[in-house]
Amino acid sequence: MSAEAADREAVSGSRPCTPPQASWFEFLLDPSLLEQHLQGRHPGICLPNSTYIWTWIFLMKCGYSRNYILSDFLFLSFCLIDSLTIPVLNMLLNELLCASRVPPGVKHVDLDLSTLPPTTAMAVLIYNRWSVAIRTIVLSSFPEKQTKPGPHQLNMMSLVQQEKELTDNILSVLREQAADSITVLEGALNIKKDFYIHTLRTLDLLAADPSTANGETESSTAGLRISADHLHCQVHYDLGGIHFQQGCSDPSVYEKAREHFRMLDSSASLCCVDEQRLAGYWSACKTLTEASDPSESQLTPYGQISCFMRNHDYGALIEAFIRDNVTLSLPNSFRHSIQLELLHKLQQGDRSLEEVCHKLCVCNAVRDALEGGVLSVSFHQLLLKPSKNTISFLLEVCTRSLDKEHRSETSKRKMAIFIKTVCNRLEDVSLAFTVSSHKLFMELLHDEEKKILMEQMRKTSATVNLSAKQLPSFYDIPASASVNISQLEQQLILSLDPRHIRQILIELHGMAERPFWRVNSKWEVPVDYVNVILAIKDNLTRDLVYILMAKGLHCISIKDFAHARQLFTACLELVTEFSPKLRQVMLNELLLMEVRGHEAGAAEGNMERPPPDLVSRVRGYLEMRIHDLPLRQTVGEECVVFMLNWRENEYLTLQVPQSLVNSNPYIKLGQLIASTCKELPGPKESRRTAKELWEVVVQICSVSSQHKRSSDGRVSLLKQRESSLVNEVTAEHISIWPSSLANLQSVDVEAVVVTLKELVNYALSLNPNNQSWLCTQADIYFVTNQYSAAMHYYLQAGTVCSDYFTKPVPPDVYTDQVLKRMIKCCSLLNCHTQVAVLCQFLREVDYMTAFKALQEQNSHDSMDSFYDYIWDVTILEYLTYIHHKRGESDKRQVAIKAIGQTELNSSNPEEVLQLAAQKRKKKFLQALAKLYF
């Protein structure tokens, strides 16, 4: 307020009087005011609040006399150190070095601090600790609090920009000196004597007469004494902070940070460090370091989880999650992040983690339910086809998460809602009844809730899939007249025991005469067999044969081969008594079951060859000719595929009877595939069967004349588009096929596209590291405009053949065609800097595309973060031009720094330039992999 306003307010008595506020120029006119303020001897002085005013005082006094610099230094640099800007602080610290007689022109790392005067050594340490050389680098790694400028600051925007540029330049220099500063501070830890720091008195002596004051300021008693222990504590804190920051790029450095923080753990309160931040550093270091002490890891739940993850002790990890459902000590977000980390490893091919991921998903779902949260999508997916073990584990987790000491009414109510949700989501009725028969269900749900839920389950039982597992609780129910028909029918749906099924049917036929094979609409047998089975005259036998076959086929579809074998064997024994035709049908189905069982084992990693007996039975089926026997087409198809999969090429090409080849189209196709595979290693001229195989496949994919639509132009255009998409997809051995089709209009191109997608997906499920198939998959995504997925597979193809880009990607993998497609993907994803970097990978650098990409201003990638990956100086020079033109000085400085790297100097030997390019290629591809994987 103005002076007049202050007088009026003082007279009116509306506000207590406050000491008069000293103007900033009074400190210039009367230097004693500063000392009085610092020593607290002038309570009547109310100082200005603005740091900028105090800095202005300092600078004005510099203009009158340099001697005032040292006198005011402590006030400005130590009282206001958190408020001064980096350029001002840097200037003040350099003045301190100069005044403290630090030898000019000598690097601090070359000084022996133990031989320097105490105040001189302390000045060196102050510079390397409190100046930006160490302290600012560490602090700048944390996000800065953004403040909205007020109206009075808008006219200073240009000055702020200049200050920012100066700050960036200083930080750039200091980051380069960081290693030297670390060495200086590490050396200080070896000095056991106390240090001394300048006071106002010693500084005034220096200002008045440097020559006479020199002896006193350099003596061991001059200035303020700083104990060695106190200083070491501060240095350990600083070194721990800088090593922790460096750990982001080199995880091994975390161990050094941990050791420094350990050294001051017990004395942090004595040396004025931020104890809260120190605790955070300490906890993070213990979690991140590999060789953590098991006893230490028990101190915090985070440490325990980290230790379990590092040691792959997943059993203990799951136990910890179950215990945490009671203690609720771990944040839900942290628990889900652990689940996602293991799920990522599972998706990368570690199949041993499948059960672990399922159990963690269950644990987290129970935790979500107890906190009233929304159940995750992964848990709902797990409930679609859970195993009996999964449901048993879920019930165990629910029970243990509601221990007697923590059973509040609210928790019990939430758990009851969760259990009802699980029951309603389960499509497998047997599993739903497993939940509903559990003691927790009986205890938590009210009688009315149980009644309603059981009624819902009973109504839906006829429309759900067949049960994959037995339900032991139903086996104890006696098949007697006291059990009504609906209960027996329910048992019939759930049971997988052939004897039990037969006993239930006997009871049912004794109570009512009707076709019980219709009890469940999901019971289905192949249409080829329906007439033969329904022709059985005895009603009980007909029901039994139909149900045993239907249940057995369902068990095969869910890979429950043990129960399928029991059901089919029982059915075979039954039909052998009265029907040779059905006996052969069951033998064929048993063969198909054995084939599928062996193929399922191979898909899970069991590559043991099939037993000779199974191969012999497959040959017998292919050669079998029985009149009037119903045959399923899929049995013949899968038998031929089985022979191909296990490379029984000799049989298919040489031993199979020619009459079978002529009469059985599956064997004909299998023979052509086997012959083509045998001829692949030979010269191109000898691949005669490849052309014949091509013609057969074209015939299979052709549309018959009666299915052709009248063309109005749109159909033909669609075919041309789809055929061009297929032509753009590359694949292994593509050179053996003809390059064109004589009658493209007759080919169902859509069927070809669908078949190709399914084939590649299946191939990658068996061998996810085949780089050729990965490139084909990427091409498919590329031509169907799924560019992010295409980049994922292009990068994965490079990963598998370069050990995650630690070696160069072979040029036959990243051809110019592949690279150009990657460039187009990045361009269409608006990642224009990635485009510019990839343009360097081509045999001839595509400057036009690179420059055009760099001109784009709507890039979705962080432009300057990729500059370190550019080795082509022409592109870097263009970047400096673009940023200069746009007034983007920060990014221009990044580009200039990249150009200035010595390894990119054009006068370097070619091998040096190549090494620099390879190093940047590797780091860039690894960075892209993190983005797209």
Side-chain angles (χ1 to χ4, degrees), residues 391-402:
I391 297 301
S392 299
F393 178 75
L394 183 147
L395 293 171
E396 176 192 350
V397 174
C398 291
T399 303
R400 293 177 58 186
S401 300
L402 276 182

Side-chain angles (χ1 to χ4, degrees), residues 100 156 164 221 268 292 298 385 399 449 479 493 634 747 828 840 870:
S100 300
M156 299 180 64
K164 187 177 186 303
T221 59
S292 57
Q298 299 299 321
K385 288 187 178 180
T399 303
E449 288 179 313
I493 292 173
T634 186
V747 176
L828 293 170
Q840 304 172 108
I870 300 177

Side-chain angles (χ1 to χ4, degrees), residues 710-762:
S710 59
S711 175
D712 59 357
R714 288 176 294 177
V715 176
S716 60
L717 286 174
L718 179 63
K719 286 186 175 295
Q720 290 176 11
R721 184 185 67 83
E722 290 179 333
S723 64
S724 66
L725 296 186
V726 178
N727 287 335
E728 290 181 25
V729 176
T730 59
E732 193 175 12
H733 308 304
I734 201 167
S735 61
I736 70 173
W737 311 118
S739 58
S740 60
L741 282 174
N743 189 8
L744 177 62
Q745 293 300 318
S746 65
V747 176
D748 187 348
V749 181
E750 183 180 358
V752 174
V753 173
V754 172
T755 303
L756 181 61
K757 289 181 178 179
E758 292 293 328
L759 180 62
V760 175
N761 284 332
Y762 180 71

Side-chain angles (χ1 to χ4, degrees), residues 233-372:
C233 184
Q234 293 278 359
V235 170
H236 279 303
Y237 183 81
D238 290 337
L239 288 173
I242 191 65
H243 286 314
F244 186 86
Q245 183 198 10
Q246 293 172 339
C248 298
S249 55
D250 183 5
S252 63
V253 183
Y254 285 125
E255 187 64 45
K256 291 183 180 180
R258 180 174 178 267
E259 185 61 24
H260 282 293
F261 291 132
R262 187 186 66 79
M263 295 299 292
L264 56 85
D265 187 40
S266 60
S267 56
S269 59
L270 303 177
C271 57
C272 305
V273 300
D274 187 337
E275 294 188 51
Q276 186 175 3
R277 174 167 286 184
L278 174 61
Y281 274 137
W282 179 237
S283 177
C285 287
K286 287 195 298 181
T287 301
L288 292 168
T289 50
E290 291 292 332
S292 57
D293 185 352
S295 62
E296 291 178 350
S297 66
Q298 299 299 321
L299 295 176
T300 65
Y302 293 100
Q304 291 180 348
I305 299 301
S306 177
C307 184
F308 297 151
M309 290 288 286
R310 284 198 305 273
N311 298 332
H312 306 293
D313 191 354
Y314 299 122
L317 177 68
I318 293 167
E319 282 296 314
F321 270 49
I322 296 175
R323 290 195 301 270
D324 186 66
N325 282 351
V326 177
T327 62
L328 306 179
S329 57
L330 294 173
N332 225 346
S333 58
F334 176 75
R335 291 168 56 110
H336 281 284
S337 70
I338 295 295
Q339 179 187 340
L340 289 174
E341 181 177 343
L342 293 178
L343 182 61
H344 178 70
K345 292 181 179 179
L346 172 63
Q347 292 171 344
Q348 294 298 311
D350 190 352
R351 306 303 303 175
S352 63
L353 293 177
E354 184 171 10
E355 184 180 359
V356 177
C357 290
H358 288 173
K359 289 186 175 182
L360 288 181
C361 182
V362 169
C363 292
N364 285 337
V366 174
R367 169 67 176 271
D368 291 336
L370 289 173
E371 293 190 341

Side-chain angles (χ1 to χ4, degrees), residues 776-793:
T776 302
Q777 180 75 297
D779 286 343
I780 292 173
Y781 281 120
F782 177 80
V783 299
T784 54
N785 303 329
Q786 301 177 70
Y787 302 113
S788 183
M791 283 296 293
H792 172 93
Y793 282 99

Side-chain angles (χ1 to χ4, degrees), residues 64-84:
Y64 291 122
S65 173
R66 183 180 179 87
N67 292 343
Y68 282 112
I69 294 176
L70 298 179
S71 300
D72 297 347
F73 172 75
L74 284 178
F75 174 69
L76 288 170
S77 60
F78 290 105
C79 297
L80 300 178
I81 193 164
D82 291 329
S83 302
L84 292 177

Side-chain angles (χ1 to χ4, degrees), residues 427-482:
E427 295 183 358
D428 191 326
V429 177
S430 67
L431 296 179
F433 276 101
T434 299
V435 176
S436 64
S437 61
H438 194 269
K439 63 179 181 179
L440 199 63
F441 178 93
M442 302 296 180
E443 178 183 343
L444 295 180
L445 270 69
H446 304 308
D447 291 340
E448 187 63 26
E449 288 179 313
K450 286 185 279 189
K451 181 178 179 181
I452 293 173
L453 189 58
M454 293 296 290
E455 183 65 21
Q456 290 175 342
M457 293 165 60
R458 189 190 67 78
K459 288 180 179 179
T460 59
S461 63
T463 60
V464 299
N465 292 330
L466 286 170
S467 172
K469 302 290 182 181
Q470 302 180 28
L471 187 62
S473 60
F474 278 96
Y475 289 151
D476 299 329
I477 301 177
S480 63
S482 61

